[in-house]
């Protein structure tokens, strides 16, 4: 075994082997993989092997596409078959909400050019003659889906990896990991130490233990998962063509052909955790005793959908451990706050995704960024709130509902609340309906109506709609208060701070204390990494504010780029400071009533920042907001939030101050043409493709400049547009295909209803020749095409008279 390698992969399941194979394939041949037992010893060996294009996320669908592409050519590359069968698959719906969800997938898959078809119950019965289609309203059919043999794909990729120069050591267990002062990792195994530059944690069921070796806690837990192979069925044996896999998510089951019979798979009624405090190191390739009581209902559902199963005995019941994270998606990418340590774990659909994610992680390690935006699976989407105990509670809710309808506006109540603002009780009293964002409870909207105290999740306009409309109207005419305590806040200071921030952002950071700048940060390829609001507090002292969700992601990026000479200091103020926003035409009058100091337009102009006493509390007040009205962001010591709030509330009575929530904020930011991180600003967009090109300061050096210069010379291939959509009951949510006639010309990045302008709005990227206001396009919403007219951005107050007035 080598004692030195560039990359060390821990774990010889489908995921780890795929990472090693792809690294070697793309030229990083100095790769060592260690596996404590034999390859596939964790979950991989017992997986059913279903491989589908389906995923609720646009980018993860591309991961699945890459896997399927690879599995079909692995034999030619390695001489080992992956056992791929093209069978097609059907996903059914037995209620209107499910039909809406399928409508969303249909449209989103069309953005990717996938062959996906809407099918009626009669067509489903033709595609799968053994199926009882009673109660179905319809479904989606992917003719190119299939299945593989999980051990064969792993073996094939390991053969490929070794041929390409990677070293694979089985029966070698990692027992500890240390970091050398020069940044290299020393990985201790029971066969000796290996020094390496990069470590990949692909330890599957044991990934939390491996993470613990470097001081990290990751939310991944093992759950018992079952599928049943039935005895041979003549009606299956006699078939000339394979039966498509059927997923009946409303019954939490799937059924697929396996040789001359069928497999019934399920998400059990109760997600039973297996060794919740850590899977024993010596567990390998052993099935668990099945819990028939826990699957009895699923079996009944299977027999209902496929009556022939009622006449067929079980051949074998497979129960085994599978990893689960709080939302069921894996934990991938750079491990916060470490350097050169990657996660590739937490997989519950790891066979479907192994081939693809190996490709993308290899690129991520080699290039520093993934080829596609993998934020939805990035391990940094969870913060310190996502402890083992949090996951323990969350999984009990998530696992049995894994097949339940995916809604964009659903905020499940399990394992909440976690983080609350000090004014949480006031928010509750005001009728807040909360959502959770990076562990924070944040009001989505407010209502006095008892019946609406919970938002009914829907792909259409929900019961929140009239309340949000009222909040937007109130902010437009009076003054509203929004709690943005959850903002990620980072103080950057030191003699090197200004020069360093100017290198990190394409924007020039303010030179004058009390000025604010919108400061996008880009990757080397000129793509949006993040977007900060940078306030100069004093000489050598800056406050950088970003989205709460991006906290770990953004701070990790800053940390990894800090100069080594100590000239720049970084301090996390997220939990030390709260932020209350007041916005609306009466906000200045309100501030004047509570603040000690002149807050007139002349004394406190737009885009400036001041220290002000708000009541008794010294606050940092920024005249800036994300809703496009006259307004102020009031940053304050978190322990004084109630004092700040009570001062505002008392003075606010005169101005009819009311709280508003996240839904209203999102509606208003669309009207104002404000972009959202990971929607309009992700790893597929540059500032030149948006109306933020003014933030690019060409007369200085910054990360991504060379790429932007090249793009400027070549011309942009896509442009961000705002469209007014003829939507009726459902607004675009993002990932909707945009058409000109029959031709797909782009995709939406986000959308919703703008209550102040009374229009359904979508943002999206289209070729520049279609970006002129007035261009008539169509946006497909839940499978139906809607007229969409490109409009000048922003729709609301284009001259910024309200904000600057
Ligand atoms: C019953 C069942 C059915 C399933 N069906 C499907 C399906 O149809 N489709 C699908 O996509 N997915 C399915 N899955 C899920 C799938 O099996 C997993 O998502 C996938 O196998 C995860 O692969 P992995 O490489 O991440 O982890 P694992 O397969 O668990 O591999 C991790 C490896 O790391 C090794 N390791 C751990 N710690 C160390 C250490 N310290 N040193 C060295 N080596 C170490 C382990 O021995 C193990 O071999 C199913 C799972 C089960 C249990």
């Amino acid at each position: 075994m080598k004692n030195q390698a560039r990359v060390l992969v821990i774990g010889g399941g489908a995921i780890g082997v795929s990472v090693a194979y792809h690294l070697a394939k793309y030229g990083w041949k100095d790769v060592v993989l260690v596996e404590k037992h034999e390859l596939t010893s964790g979950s991989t060996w017992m997986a059913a092997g279903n491989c589908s294009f389906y995923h609720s996320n646009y980018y993860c669908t591309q991961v699945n596409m890459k896997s399927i592409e690879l599995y079909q050519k692995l034999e030619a590359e390695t001489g080992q078959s992956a056992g791929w069968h093209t069978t097609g698959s059907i996903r059914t719906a037995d209620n209107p909400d499910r039909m809406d969800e399928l409508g969303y997938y249909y449209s989103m898959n069309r953005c990717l050019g996938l062959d996906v078809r809407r099918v009626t119950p009669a067509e489903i019965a033709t595609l799968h003659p053994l199926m009882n289609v009673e109660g179905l309203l319809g479904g989606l059919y992917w003719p190119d889906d299939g299945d593989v043999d999980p051990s064969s794909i792993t073996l094939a990729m390991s053969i490929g990896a070794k041929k390409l120069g990677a070293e694979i050591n089985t029966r070698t267990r990692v027992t500890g990991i240390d970091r050398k002062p020069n940044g290299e990792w020393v990985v201790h195994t029971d066969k000796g130490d290996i020094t390496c530059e990069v470590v990949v944690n692909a330890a599957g069921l044991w990934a939390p233990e491996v993470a613990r070796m470097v001081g990290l806690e990751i939310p991944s837990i093992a759950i018992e998962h079952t599928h049943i192979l039935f005895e041979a069925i003549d009606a299956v044996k006699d078939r000339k063509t394979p039966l498509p896999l059927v997923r009946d998510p409303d019954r939490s089951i799937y059924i697929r052909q396996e040789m001359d019979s069928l497999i019934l798979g399920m998400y059990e009624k109760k997600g039973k955790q297996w060794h919740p405090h850590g899977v024993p190191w010596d567990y390998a390739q052993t099935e668990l005793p099945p819990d028939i009581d826990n699957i009895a209902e699923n079996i009944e559902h299977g027999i209902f959908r496929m009556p022939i199963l009622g006449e067929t005995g079980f051949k074998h019941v497979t129960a085994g451990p599978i990893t689960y994270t709080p939302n069921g998606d894996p934990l991938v990418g750079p491990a916060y706050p470490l350097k050169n340590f990657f996660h590739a774990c937490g997989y519950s659909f790891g066979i479907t995704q192994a081939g693809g994610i190996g490709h993308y992680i290899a690129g991520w390690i080699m290039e520093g960024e993934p080829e596609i935006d993998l934020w939805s699976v990035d391990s940094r989407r969870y913060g310190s709130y996502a402890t083992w105990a949090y996951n323990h509670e969350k999984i009990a809710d998530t696992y049995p509902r894994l097949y339940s309808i995916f809604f964009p506006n659903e905020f499940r109540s399990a394992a909440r609340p976690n983080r609350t603002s000090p004014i949480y009780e006031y928010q509750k009293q005001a009728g807040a309906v909360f959502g959770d964002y990076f562990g924070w409870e944040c009001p989505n909207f407010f209502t006095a109506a008892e019946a609406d105290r919970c938002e009914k999740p829907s792909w259409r306009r929900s019961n929140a709609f009239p309340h949000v409309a009222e909040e937007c109207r109130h902010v437009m005419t009076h003054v509203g208060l929004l709690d943005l305590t959850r903002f990620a806040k980072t103080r950057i200071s030191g003699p090197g701070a200004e020069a360093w921030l100017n290198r990190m952002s394409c924007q020039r950071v303010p030179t004058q204390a009390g000025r604010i700048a919108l400061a996008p940060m880009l990757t080397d390829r000129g793509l949006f990494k993040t977007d900060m609001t940078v306030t100069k507090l004093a000489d050598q002292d800056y406050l950088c504010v970003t989205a709460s969700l991006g906290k770990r992601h953004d701070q990790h990026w800053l940390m990894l780029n800090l100069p080594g000479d100590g000239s720049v200091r970084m301090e996390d103020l997220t939990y030390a400071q709260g932020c209350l926003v007041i916005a609306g035409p009466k906000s200045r009058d309100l501030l004047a009533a509570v603040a000690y100091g002149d807050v007139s337009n002349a004394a406190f102009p737009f885009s400036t920042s001041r220290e002000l006493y708000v009541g008794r509390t010294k606050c940092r007040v920024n005249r800036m907001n994300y809703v496009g009205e006259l307004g102020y962001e009031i940053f304050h010591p978190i322990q004084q939030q109630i004092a700040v709030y009570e001062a505002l509330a008392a003075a606010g009575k005169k101005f009819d101050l009311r709280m508003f929530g996240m839904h209203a904020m999102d509606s208003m930011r669309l009207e104002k043409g404000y972009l959202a991180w990971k929607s309009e600003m992700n790893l597929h967009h540059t500032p030149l493709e948006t109306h933020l090109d003014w933030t690019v300061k060409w007369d200085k050096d910054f990360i991504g400049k060379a790429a932007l210069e090249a793009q400027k010379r070549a011309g942009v291939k896509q442009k961000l547009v705002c469209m007014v959509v003829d939507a009726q009951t459902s607004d675009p949510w993002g990932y909707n295909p945009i058409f000109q006639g029959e031709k797909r010309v782009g995709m939406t990045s986000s959308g919703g209803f703008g209550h102040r302008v009374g229009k359904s709005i979508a943002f999206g990227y289209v070729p520049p020749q279609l970006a002129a206001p007035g261009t008539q396009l169509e946006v497909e919403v839940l499978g139906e095409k809607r007229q969409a007219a490109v409009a000048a951005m922003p729709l609301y107050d284009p001259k910024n008279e309200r904000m600057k007035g």
Side-chain angles (χ1 to χ4, degrees):
M1 184 175 79
K2 282 188 188 176
N3 60 8
Q4 184 90 35
R6 188 155 193 194
V7 184
L8 183 102
V9 181
I10 305 172
I15 301 292
V17 173
S18 178
V19 173
Y21 163 73
H22 283 96
L23 280 167
K25 186 169 172 176
Y26 300 145
W28 278 29
K29 294 176 189 300
D30 187 12
V31 179
V32 171
L33 181 146
V34 287
E35 160 56 50
K36 67 180 174 58
H37 196 79
E38 298 298 333
L39 297 182
T40 77
S41 290
S43 297
T44 299
W45 74 281
M46 69 184 79
N50 309 326
C51 282
S52 171
F53 288 105
Y54 159 82
H55 195 287
S56 59
N57 178 273
Y58 172 78
Y59 296 106
C60 291
T61 307
Q62 293 176 61
V63 174
N64 295 3
M65 289 164 74
K66 267 272 176 254
S67 292
I68 291 174
E69 184 192 322
L70 175 74
Y71 298 156
Q72 298 191 32
K73 59 185 190 201
L74 260 183
E75 186 168 3
E77 264 183 48
T78 66
Q80 165 66 47
S81 161
W84 171 263
H85 307 111
T86 305
T87 61
S89 85
I90 302 163
R91 199 171 184 90
T92 63
D94 73 6
N95 61 76
D97 280 336
R98 181 71 75 182
M99 285 299 280
D100 281 350
E101 186 206 29
L102 295 191
Y104 166 72
Y105 296 140
Y106 174 76
S107 296
M108 185 259 272
N109 279 202
R110 273 154 63 83
C111 291
L112 290 164
L114 273 174
D115 186 359
V116 54
R117 304 172 194 176
R118 285 183 284 193
V119 282
T120 62
E123 287 166 328
I124 294 172
T126 309
L127 285 165
H128 202 310
L130 300 180
M131 208 173 142
N132 167 21
V133 294
E134 189 186 327
L136 293 184
L137 300 180
L140 288 184
Y141 174 54
W142 288 266
D144 299 328
D145 269 11
D147 55 76
V148 285
D149 173 36
S151 297
S152 299
I153 57 161
T154 315
L155 181 62
M157 290 188 289
S158 75
I159 292 171
K162 283 192 269 191
K163 269 192 193 166
L164 292 159
E167 182 183 284
I168 294 186
N169 301 292
T170 53
R171 304 270 167 191
T172 308
R173 178 159 83 83
V174 171
T175 53
I177 305 172
D178 286 319
R179 179 136 230 185
K180 292 201 333 192
N182 70 359
E184 283 180 321
W185 296 102
V186 181
V187 177
H188 309 290
T189 79
D190 52 9
K191 301 270 169 67
D193 292 352
I194 304 168
T195 303
C196 59
E197 188 183 320
V198 181
V199 174
V200 181
N201 175 9
L205 299 167
W206 297 266
E209 275 65 46
V210 170
R212 220 165 279 141
M213 292 176 190
V214 287
L216 303 180
E217 180 169 6
I218 56 167
S220 171
I221 276 176
I223 300 273
E224 294 180 24
H225 183 58
T226 319
H227 58 78
I228 303 170
L229 174 65
F230 285 77
E231 298 283 4
I233 299 170
D234 287 342
V236 177
K237 196 162 46 180
D238 296 345
R239 285 190 60 84
K240 304 254 176 321
T241 51
L243 287 163
L245 181 148
V246 174
R247 288 188 183 83
D248 181 345
D250 299 307
R251 290 172 186 270
S252 211
I253 54 166
Y254 71 82
I255 300 166
R256 86 151 161 87
Q257 183 174 346
E258 173 69 22
M259 311 287 278
D260 56 4
S261 185
L262 296 173
I263 284 181
L264 170 67
M266 60 208 70
Y267 288 93
E268 297 88 337
K269 194 169 67 180
K270 188 166 171 279
K272 285 177 65 187
Q273 293 180 23
W274 190 66
H275 287 289
H277 294 282
V279 174
W281 287 115
D282 60 359
Y283 169 78
Q285 294 191 338
T286 315
E287 290 187 14
L288 309 180
D291 178 350
I292 301 294
D293 284 347
N294 200 22
I295 59 174
E297 201 175 281
N298 305 91
I299 296 171
E300 275 172 33
H301 286 321
I303 293 170
F304 172 81
R305 227 5 116 214
M306 219 65 76
I308 202 157
L309 295 181
E311 305 155 20
T312 313
F314 296 168
K315 186 169 180 187
H316 186 74
V317 183
T318 304
I322 188 169
T323 51
Y324 263 86
T325 66
N327 76 346
D329 279 330
L331 305 170
V332 172
Y336 172 92
L338 305 175
K339 188 173 180 190
N340 288 339
F341 194 100
F342 280 71
H343 290 307
C345 53
Y347 270 95
S348 40
F349 293 96
I351 305 307
T352 311
Q353 292 165 347
I357 205 64
H359 162 85
Y360 290 114
I361 292 179
W364 203 337
I365 293 170
M366 294 167 74
E367 307 281 334
E369 298 293 342
E371 180 187 323
I372 58 172
D373 199 301
L374 289 174
W375 175 241
S376 69
V377 292
D378 194 312
S379 61
R380 296 166 297 186
R381 72 189 186 276
Y382 291 113
S384 55
Y385 67 94
T387 57
W388 170 86
Y390 166 87
N391 197 21
H392 176 85
E393 272 185 59
K394 199 77 182 165
I395 285 302
D397 176 68
T398 308
Y399 181 81
R401 295 211 273 163
L402 204 90
Y403 267 180
S404 65
I405 301 171
F406 164 66
F407 292 109
N409 56 353
E410 186 174 29
F411 295 84
R412 294 181 182 171
S413 58
R416 286 171 56 195
N418 281 295
R419 295 181 173 133
T420 53
S421 297
I423 60 164
Y424 179 61
E425 288 301 325
Y426 285 104
Q427 292 168 332
K428 284 210 291 201
Q429 282 162 22
V433 178
F434 293 92
D436 58 325
Y437 301 83
F438 202 66
W440 288 95
E441 291 297 312
C442 296
N444 277 333
F445 67 98
F446 292 83
T447 174
E450 205 51 50
D452 290 339
R453 280 293 162 85
C454 173
E455 182 172 2
K456 295 180 190 79
S458 174
W459 280 96
R460 295 173 188 268
R461 292 173 190 161
S462 78
N463 56 328
F465 191 82
H467 305 294
V468 176
E470 181 49 35
E471 286 172 24
C472 294
R473 265 194 298 274
H474 193 78
V475 172
M476 181 169 74
T477 53
H478 293 74
V479 54
L481 184 143
L482 173 72
D483 176 16
L484 286 179
T485 293
R486 66 194 175 104
F487 264 155
K489 308 160 208 98
T490 314
R491 185 176 187 174
I492 298 292
S493 58
E498 181 178 335
W500 181 72
L501 281 171
N502 275 327
R503 167 145 177 77
M504 294 298 293
S505 172
C506 60
Q507 170 69 288
R508 180 170 292 106
V509 298
T511 48
Q512 222 180 312
R515 303 296 306 196
I516 306 169
L518 196 66
M521 293 190 179
L522 312 177
T523 67
D524 276 336
R525 287 188 268 153
L527 304 162
F528 282 110
K529 180 84 185 169
T530 183
D531 177 42
M532 304 205 169
T533 306
V534 178
T535 303
K536 182 159 181 174
L537 304 172
D539 217 20
Q540 304 185 358
D541 200 0
Y542 298 85
L543 176 67
C544 300
V545 177
T546 55
S548 61
L549 210 62
K551 180 180 180 296
R552 282 197 164 178
H553 171 275
D554 295 350
Q555 291 183 340
H556 201 190
W557 178 241
L558 297 178
M559 266 176 214
L560 295 179
N561 281 285
L562 279 179
D565 60 7
S567 61
V568 183
R569 288 184 298 275
M570 190 179 148
E571 187 187 355
D572 182 10
L573 297 180
T574 305
Y575 307 115
Q577 290 197 357
C579 178
L580 298 177
V581 180
I582 52 170
K586 304 274 184 229
S587 59
R588 184 186 291 127
D589 296 338
L590 170 59
L591 189 64
V594 286
Y596 292 85
D598 181 1
V599 298
S600 66
N601 197 33
F604 193 0
F606 175 68
S607 196
T608 63
S609 172
R610 285 177 56 188
E611 268 189 347
L612 273 178
Y613 279 93
V614 175
R616 294 182 296 278
T617 310
K618 194 193 266 185
C619 301
R620 160 68 48 185
V621 183
N622 284 4
R623 190 170 155 198
M624 174 73 69
N625 65 82
Y626 196 50
V627 302
E629 299 286 350
L630 174 67
Y632 305 86
E633 291 175 345
I634 305 172
F635 295 90
H636 50 270
I638 192 98
Q639 68 277 16
Q640 278 165 260
Q641 183 167 84
I642 289 188
V644 174
Y645 172 73
E646 286 184 345
L648 289 167
K653 282 197 186 114
K654 188 170 152 201
F655 307 104
D656 196 10
L657 174 70
R658 295 188 203 164
M659 297 200 201
F660 66 102
M662 298 305 299
H663 287 353
M665 185 192 82
D666 205 40
S667 161
M668 291 188 272
R669 73 106 189 155
L670 286 170
E671 294 167 314
K672 273 304 287 178
Y674 294 156
L675 312 190
W677 183 64
K678 292 298 173 197
S679 293
E680 288 72 45
M681 291 188 284
N682 73 11
L683 292 178
H684 300 273
H685 316 125
T686 77
L688 303 189
E689 296 161 354
T690 71
H691 55 287
L692 289 185
D693 46 356
W694 62 271
T695 61
V696 181
K697 301 296 184 280
W698 297 104
D699 59 350
K700 68 177 183 93
D701 192 26
F702 58 87
I703 297 173
K705 183 175 177 186
L708 280 196
E709 282 173 337
Q711 187 183 44
K712 195 176 174 198
R713 281 193 299 275
V716 296
K717 294 202 171 67
Q718 59 176 358
K719 197 80 194 162
L720 179 72
V721 291
C722 169
M723 291 164 286
V724 172
V725 184
D726 172 31
Q728 302 299 318
T729 58
S730 174
D731 302 300
W733 286 97
Y735 307 114
N736 310 81
I738 304 171
F739 289 93
Q740 189 185 42
E742 284 311 301
K743 190 171 174 217
R744 191 166 35 83
V745 292
M747 184 176 79
T748 66
S749 47
S750 57
F753 194 82
H755 292 278
R756 290 178 300 188
V757 299
K759 293 181 169 120
S760 181
I761 302 167
F763 289 169
Y765 283 89
V766 296
Q769 63 275 19
L770 298 179
T775 307
Q776 292 299 319
L777 300 169
E778 283 177 302
V779 166
E780 192 175 278
V781 183
L782 303 185
E784 305 299 330
K785 282 186 182 170
R786 299 273 167 205
Q787 292 297 319
V790 176
M793 184 146 51
L795 292 172
Y796 183 73
D797 187 22
K799 293 189 178 151
N800 281 336
E801 285 163 343
R802 290 180 154 258
M803 292 221 301
K804 293 184 176 173

